[in-house]
Amino acid sequence: MSQLERINFRCKPTFREAGPRNYRENTFMRHHWVHRRRQEGKCKQCGKSFKQGFSFQSKEIIAISCSWCKAAYHNKISCFMLQQIEEQCTLGIHASIIIPPSWIIKLPRKGSFKSSIRKKKKASLKRRKSQGVGGGGEHRPFIIKPIPSPHMKPLLVFINPKSGGNQGVKLMHKFQWLLNPRQVFDLSQDGPRMALELYKKVPNLRILACGGDGTAGWILSTIDSLGISPHPPVAILPLGTGNDLARTLNWGGGYTDEPISKILCSVEDGQVVQLDRWSLQLEPHPEFDPDSSQDDAQNFQKLPLDVMNNYFSLGSDANVTLEFHESREANPEKFNSRFKNKMFYAGVRGKDVLKRSWKDLADHIHVECDGVDVTPKIRELKLHCLLFLNIQKYAAGTAPWGSPSLSATNFEPQRHDDGYLEVIGFTAAGLAALQVGGHGERVMQCQNVRLTTYKTIPMQVDGEPCRLQPSIVRIFLQNQANMVQKPKRRGSVPIGNDPPAVAERLRVQVSRISMADYEALHYDKEKLREASVPLGIIVVENDADLEQVRRHINQLQESLGGAAPQLSENWCFVDSTTAERFFRIDRGQEHLHYVTDISSEDLYILDPDILVNLQQTSSSSSSSSPHPSSHLLAHQHHLPFHEGRHTPSPEKVLIDSSKKGDLPKVIEAHQNGVNLLSTDQYGMTALHHAARFGHKDVVKYLIEQAPPVILDMIDHEKAQTALHKAAWYQRRTICCMLVAAGASLTRADYQGNTPRSQALKAEDTELAAYLQSQEQLQLVVSEDQETAV
């Protein structure tokens, strides 16, 4: 730090010093501009990519970027202007969850104005206090003074670096880069208590727990102990091994390569739901004498946790978890990845099933549920494992309760917020069948449990195992915690009289990407599109989720037979629309995504195990037909709603020509009688596409020839006009053309965004300022017209 101060290098300001000025007046924050020798993306001013240097010795400054809002410009006078140095920073797309530096106040040292005599009298007292807080008297505490706003949802990020094979370490710097570093905390340092005490009075606070289910439980217990009210909602980024609570709340079975920025958006938009939390009270069995057995006296004296969020179990599965836990404690270096952990689990579970070591579990326990003795039923079923389940998932994603039929049983569907526990039993065969879609023996749904054990039995609470001496365990509802459920992304939400609620059918081109191309080109979307191989066309409804689309793609493969390379069983969907690059969709989260969420034109899938050489397939198909794709299209008669025509309709020719900027074909289609107000399956007109892709001549022609209503026509997906598209893609000239033609500047889409909001989200402050001035001008004109009338 001394060397950095010597060269006047200033880090990003993350707090402010305490001062006499009212903190509500000190909210203006400028950009924090930084010189960069390497920068990805494109210049915000000219739209051109940054030159990438190949030598680490190069000292050329190629870009200037803001470390808060991430806006980047070329290091040229034509791109970066002096007046931008004093501009106010908007904090970028995550402004609503970033804690501004103006909220975090660093307090001065106490006693700086006291006399030296008074200092000497209290020197020993101060020394003791300083050693207890931070050591050395250098600790300067902070306080948080938030400015409440209904649009802000400040976020605290807790990362457990040891979860999921030490994956958390790699994510720490990403969160610190996207957010204020003082809202990101390492749980291995001081735990969550200090941070929660500091931020407990911040309104609308949300928490992101990056780790396993144990990490989330740790944070929830700390919130209870501090008595924070209202309870801040907790989201989960799954880095653990099982991640059952994360699966229940739709966060998936494990983090892969989804952009952190998209995860932060999901935390911000997620729905707050309730989670039952159960108290475990333990007391020794009155007939048990610990001195009678040396082995029992050396065992654990209590449960590892006294509050349960996921499940409590005893018997065979707890024995497997205990063996895994002891092995990991003895050799932590061997358990450095989620895959290795799961393989070890599988091996130990297989051995336990063969040994049948807990086949007599029912002889050593007595269970009462809501005052009803269910021990005879447990003994009749000859159970090896007894499970008290609070959430839907268990053992890394299985569903042990299943889907009971109300007509055939007296059991209700399972919920994590209904105040009931599900009591489930497993035999050795039942535990094995659980991994292939089976379920356990449903015993009861209850609100209170009294469990008595007569022998030292392995138990586990939320994956934390122990061997418990003969005891009496009481389970009852303690409270409910607020959790954030990952939203199911929808491409369109019908409002009022805007697009009809009847589902429309989409014709989607499916293209496959190989793993080699994905790893080499996933940062260049255009090249990756060119490297993809078309598989064929499917017809699906526009509100179909990816699980339904997967079935259509499998049917397409069956209909094509040997005409195209067959997909392996490990293929997955790829999102080509959300981020600056492609990323994979976890198979466990396919029910959360709609087909319109991950594809704009073509639907891309990634196949990591290509079994057929694509070049050989292409050459063989090209020898039989002049076009390689014609053989695939020849099989489209197997698909429903196909009319048997390969010639595109005149309306599709108009749309495709507007995408490519082919003005002669647009004029030809119009002269042939095609309605310029025609839309594609997404409700987008030719003007939408021309504005999106920046084809100025096509936009000019459509404005002149089409009816004026085309300016304010909205698409089905987001209810956006052509001006929305132009503002998002920073087409400044086209924005001016549309505004001059009379396009509405105040129309909001489904998310409440006006064209000016779209420009701000795209970090184009100049375009946003222009649109704002035009809004004011339109308002003045309308007021003058009203006065005249």
Side-chain angles (χ1 to χ4, degrees):
M1 292 301 297
S2 60
Q3 293 180 5
L4 295 177
E5 291 173 357
R6 196 176 303 123
I7 63 174
N8 198 24
F9 183 91
R10 297 181 181 179
C11 293
K12 179 168 66 174
T14 59
F15 61 92
R16 68 181 180 92
E17 299 287 348
R21 185 183 303 177
N22 188 344
Y23 74 99
R24 290 182 180 271
E25 298 175 359
N26 190 19
T27 58
F28 182 87
M29 190 178 71
R30 295 184 177 88
H31 292 284
H32 182 254
W33 297 113
V34 181
H35 289 172
R36 303 203 179 275
R37 296 187 177 93
R38 179 178 175 82
Q39 178 69 39
E40 295 180 352
K42 296 181 180 180
C43 176
K44 187 178 176 181
Q45 178 67 26
C46 66
K48 297 180 180 179
S49 300
F50 295 98
K51 180 180 68 174
Q52 300 295 338
F54 295 97
S55 173
F56 289 102
Q57 301 298 326
S58 175
K59 296 185 178 181
E60 179 187 1
I61 304 299
I62 66 169
I64 299 175
S65 69
C66 175
S67 55
W68 280 112
C69 65
K70 309 303 182 282
Y73 298 87
H74 281 110
N75 186 23
K76 300 176 183 178
I77 299 178
S78 59
C79 292
F80 186 80
M81 304 173 188
L82 291 178
Q83 60 266 27
Q84 292 172 324
I85 296 177
E86 298 298 323
E87 282 184 353
Q88 182 176 3
C89 183
T90 62
L91 294 180
I93 61 174
H94 299 304
S96 59
I97 61 175
I98 292 177
I99 296 178
S102 58
W103 288 16
I104 307 174
I105 303 174
K106 191 173 186 180
L107 297 178
R109 292 177 181 271
K110 291 184 178 180
S112 58
F113 56 87
K114 295 178 182 179
S115 64
S116 59
I117 298 176
R118 197 170 180 180
K119 286 182 179 179
K120 290 180 181 178
K121 288 182 179 180
K122 296 188 177 181
S124 59
L125 178 59
K126 287 185 178 181
R127 188 179 299 111
R128 287 196 298 269
K129 286 185 178 180
S130 63
Q131 289 174 355
V133 176
E138 299 178 357
H139 179 74
R140 302 181 68 184
F142 294 86
I143 61 172
I144 308 298
K145 286 194 172 183
I147 302 178
S149 170
H151 303 293
M152 289 200 64
K153 299 175 183 177
L155 180 67
L156 287 188
V157 180
F158 293 102
I159 300 179
N160 187 351
K162 297 181 180 179
S163 294
N166 300 322
Q167 196 177 17
V169 179
K170 303 174 184 178
L171 297 177
M172 178 71 73
H173 75 282
K174 294 183 180 180
F175 282 107
Q176 290 178 335
W177 166 243
L178 291 171
L179 306 172
N180 188 334
R182 295 191 181 275
Q183 65 186 113
V184 182
F185 295 89
D186 184 349
L187 288 173
S188 64
Q189 299 297 324
D190 299 309
R193 189 175 190 87
M194 180 192 70
L196 290 173
E197 284 182 337
L198 188 63
Y199 289 89
K200 65 181 180 180
K201 294 185 179 180
V202 175
N204 299 328
L205 183 68
R206 292 199 171 193
I207 294 172
L208 176 60
C210 305
D213 292 344
T215 302
W218 185 12
I219 294 172
L220 292 174
S221 297
T222 307
I223 292 174
D224 287 344
S225 64
L226 293 175
I228 300 177
S229 181
H231 193 291
V234 179
I236 305 175
L237 178 61
L239 302 180
T241 302
N243 303 313
D244 293 305
L245 181 57
R247 295 173 195 266
T248 300
L249 298 173
N250 295 337
W251 292 100
Y255 173 74
T256 50
D257 62 349
E258 188 174 0
I260 297 298
S261 181
K262 182 174 176 294
I263 292 173
L264 293 175
C265 292
S266 298
V267 175
E268 179 184 354
D269 300 334
Q271 178 186 1
V272 178
V273 297
Q274 304 295 313
L275 174 69
D276 297 334
R277 305 187 73 229
W278 300 83
S279 180
L280 302 176
Q281 281 190 357
L282 180 68
E283 59 184 78
H285 196 283
E287 300 178 2
F288 172 67
D289 183 8
D291 296 331
S292 63
S293 173
Q294 293 296 328
D295 293 336
D296 289 338
Q298 295 175 0
N299 290 332
F300 293 94
Q301 301 297 321
K302 61 179 183 179
L303 292 170
L305 300 172
D306 56 3
V307 178
M308 177 191 72
N309 300 313
N310 298 0
Y311 48 78
F312 169 72
S313 68
L314 62 157
S316 178
D317 71 327
N319 188 42
V320 173
T321 305
L322 181 63
E323 187 169 342
F324 170 81
H325 178 76
E326 292 174 345
S327 300
R328 183 169 60 177
E329 291 293 321
N331 302 289
E333 69 280 357
K334 295 182 179 180
F335 298 85
N336 56 4
S337 74
R338 190 184 296 119
F339 177 75
K340 291 182 180 179
N341 295 351
K342 290 184 177 181
M343 291 301 296
F344 186 88
Y345 254 114
V348 175
R349 186 177 295 278
K351 293 179 183 178
D352 190 80
V353 170
L354 294 176
K355 290 181 179 179
R356 300 169 60 86
S357 54
W358 285 99
K359 59 183 179 181
D360 57 347
L361 173 66
D363 298 333
H364 304 290
I365 61 175
H366 182 271
V367 186
E368 291 183 7
C369 299
D370 290 342
V372 178
D373 187 1
V374 296
T375 309
K377 186 174 182 179
I378 295 175
R379 291 176 179 172
E380 178 185 353
L381 296 172
K382 298 180 180 180
L383 302 178
H384 292 209
C385 167
L386 189 62
L387 172 67
F388 301 90
L389 188 63
N390 181 44
I391 60 178
Q392 286 87 352
K393 301 298 181 181
Y394 164 75
T398 62
W401 186 251
S403 300
S405 174
L406 295 178
S407 59
T409 66
N410 295 324
F411 297 117
E412 297 287 336
Q414 188 181 15
R415 292 177 58 90
H416 52 73
D417 58 355
D418 58 357
Y420 281 85
L421 279 175
E422 280 69 36
V423 185
I424 309 169
F426 299 98
T427 61
L431 284 172
L434 190 62
Q435 303 298 327
V436 292
H439 62 81
E441 298 288 345
R442 305 183 187 101
V443 179
M444 194 173 183
Q445 289 176 300
C446 62
Q447 295 177 301
N448 293 278
V449 175
R450 187 178 189 274
L451 169 66
T452 306
T453 62
Y454 305 100
K455 175 184 177 181
T456 299
I457 299 176
M459 302 184 182
Q460 65 167 337
V461 184
D462 291 352
E464 297 292 332
C466 71
R467 288 188 182 89
L468 193 66
Q469 300 167 346
S471 308
I472 299 175
V473 182
R474 290 184 171 87
I475 307 176
F476 55 89
L477 184 65
Q478 175 175 287
N479 58 15
Q480 286 188 322
N482 290 332
M483 306 297 292
V484 179
Q485 189 172 39
K486 188 174 183 180
K488 187 172 184 178
R489 299 169 58 197
R490 292 196 75 96
S492 59
V493 181
I495 297 179
N497 295 325
D498 288 334
V502 180
E504 299 180 3
R505 287 189 169 261
L506 305 179
R507 291 172 52 83
V508 182
Q509 171 71 50
V510 181
S511 300
R512 181 179 62 179
I513 299 172
S514 67
M515 179 58 75
D517 291 335
Y518 176 79
E519 293 177 346
L521 303 173
H522 68 284
Y523 281 100
D524 193 330
K525 298 175 72 171
E526 295 302 324
K527 290 184 179 179
L528 194 53
R529 285 192 178 98
E530 295 174 359
S532 63
V533 178
L535 294 181
I537 298 175
I538 60 174
V539 180
V540 296
E541 295 181 349
N542 63 352
D543 60 350
D545 61 31
L546 296 188
E547 286 185 344
Q548 298 170 344
V549 177
R550 176 178 284 272
R551 292 194 288 270
H552 282 277
I553 294 177
N554 291 335
Q555 292 174 3
L556 172 64
Q557 284 285 292
E558 294 176 1
S559 65
L560 294 178
Q566 293 296 306
L567 296 172
S568 66
E569 296 180 355
N570 298 324
W571 68 269
C572 62
F573 291 98
V574 177
D575 190 335
S576 61
T577 62
T578 305
E580 294 182 355
R581 62 182 182 91
F582 286 26
F583 69 90
R584 289 170 284 181
I585 302 294
D586 184 77
R587 187 163 184 174
Q589 295 187 346
E590 289 181 359
H591 65 288
L592 301 176
H593 299 266
Y594 290 82
V595 62
T596 52
D597 295 331
I598 69 167
S599 65
S600 57
E601 297 177 359
D602 289 1
L603 176 64
Y604 295 95
I605 62 176
L606 174 66
D607 191 352
D609 305 323
I610 294 183
L611 303 178
V612 181
N613 191 327
L614 297 180
Q615 295 180 353
Q616 293 178 355
T617 305
S618 301
S619 61
S620 61
S621 60
S622 60
S623 62
S624 60
S625 63
H627 299 288
S629 59
S630 63
H631 193 56
L632 297 177
L633 294 176
H635 292 76
Q636 293 306 315
H637 64 275
H638 295 287
L639 297 174
F641 294 89
H642 184 71
E643 299 175 0
R645 297 180 302 175
H646 304 308
T647 304
S649 64
E651 291 78 8
K652 191 174 188 307
V653 171
L654 174 66
I655 297 295
D656 292 342
S657 301
S658 65
K659 292 179 184 178
K660 299 175 183 177
D662 193 343
L663 181 58
K665 284 192 176 181
V666 172
I667 297 175
E668 181 183 354
H670 183 212
Q671 292 175 349
N672 291 336
V674 178
N675 187 357
L676 295 180
L677 300 181
S678 301
T679 61
D680 61 6
Q681 64 265 40
Y682 302 102
M684 296 173 64
T685 64
L687 185 60
H688 279 95
H689 292 291
R692 174 187 173 191
F693 290 103
H695 303 311
K696 304 173 188 176
D697 51 351
V698 177
V699 171
K700 181 180 179 181
Y701 178 80
L702 293 172
I703 291 175
E704 294 174 349
Q705 301 296 326
V709 69
I710 195 174
L711 296 171
D712 294 328
M713 289 183 65
I714 60 173
D715 62 359
H716 298 341
E717 186 178 0
K718 299 180 180 178
Q720 292 183 347
T721 64
L723 186 56
H724 281 91
K725 305 293 184 184
W728 174 251
Y729 289 98
Q730 303 178 26
R731 313 295 185 187
R732 298 186 178 184
T733 304
I734 293 177
C735 285
C736 296
M737 296 167 62
L738 294 171
V739 171
S744 174
L745 287 159
T746 57
R747 181 165 192 122
D749 62 8
Y750 289 147
Q751 302 297 326
N753 297 319
T754 63
R756 182 170 65 88
S757 303
Q758 291 291 94
L760 285 175
K761 283 192 172 184
E763 301 180 358
D764 194 336
T765 54
E766 291 186 6
L767 178 58
Y770 165 75
L771 294 174
Q772 184 177 15
S773 65
Q774 294 300 312
E775 284 181 18
Q776 297 171 351
L777 183 62
Q778 278 190 357
L779 181 62
V780 171
V781 172
S782 62
E783 288 177 351
D784 290 345
Q785 292 174 348
E786 183 179 356
T787 303
V789 171

